[in-house]
Amino acid sequence: ADATTVPLSGTVYIGRKQGQGIVATGCPLVGVQVCIHRLTALTRTDNDPMVGKCATTDDKGRYTLFPLVGTKVYPNVTMEGHTIHPLSSDGVERRIDFLKYLRGVPVSLARASNGALSNHDF
């Protein structure tokens, strides 16, 4: 079996309410745990296994995980007493995107080199 991994990275920000939604403030959230889960079905489930080592965000809120090439995964951020959601990848005003990881992120060398595995922000 191929054990090639590639980096999947992003930043976790503190959010604030704005209108009907929540937007990233640009302030990093330091010391939160980010783990990677592998999709076992077509869409994300509560039983998707955690794979690889978890990461802790650094002083700029950044994290890097190393999923296996050929898998479909999604990052999950946990911090006791807080709810943390993925941010949309596009637009000037980045909002919460609840369905962003519904189908997971396909991991490939091509996606790693074209930047598709970076900026997975929360």
Side-chain angles (χ1 to χ4, degrees):
D2 188 0
T4 303
T5 62
V6 290
L8 182 144
S9 61
T11 305
V12 182
Y13 297 103
I14 296 170
R16 67 176 164 79
K17 286 185 187 273
Q18 182 172 309
Q20 297 299 311
I22 296 173
V23 294
T25 60
C27 297
L29 200 50
V30 179
V32 294
Q33 181 170 276
V34 186
C35 297
I36 201 144
H37 293 259
R38 183 175 51 81
L39 246 65
T40 54
L42 283 176
T43 57
R44 184 176 154 166
T45 71
D46 291 339
N47 298 324
D48 290 334
M50 210 175 351
V51 292
K53 289 183 179 165
C54 295
T56 302
T57 56
D58 67 14
D59 61 343
K60 292 185 173 70
R62 294 182 303 216
Y63 71 89
T64 302
L65 299 163
F66 295 92
L68 280 172
V69 168
T71 59
K72 264 193 181 177
V73 299
Y74 58 91
N76 189 38
V77 182
T78 52
M79 183 177 183
E80 197 169 323
H82 293 79
T83 305
I84 300 175
H85 301 289
L87 287 171
S88 60
S89 301
D90 51 353
V92 176
E93 212 174 76
R94 300 185 64 203
R95 297 194 168 275
I96 286 177
D97 182 355
F98 291 104
L99 299 177
K100 183 171 184 176
Y101 296 120
L102 181 67
R103 295 190 183 279
V105 177
V107 180
S108 68
L109 292 173
R111 288 177 60 83
S113 65
N114 73 14
L117 301 182
S118 58
N119 297 316
H120 286 274
D121 297 347
F122 289 81

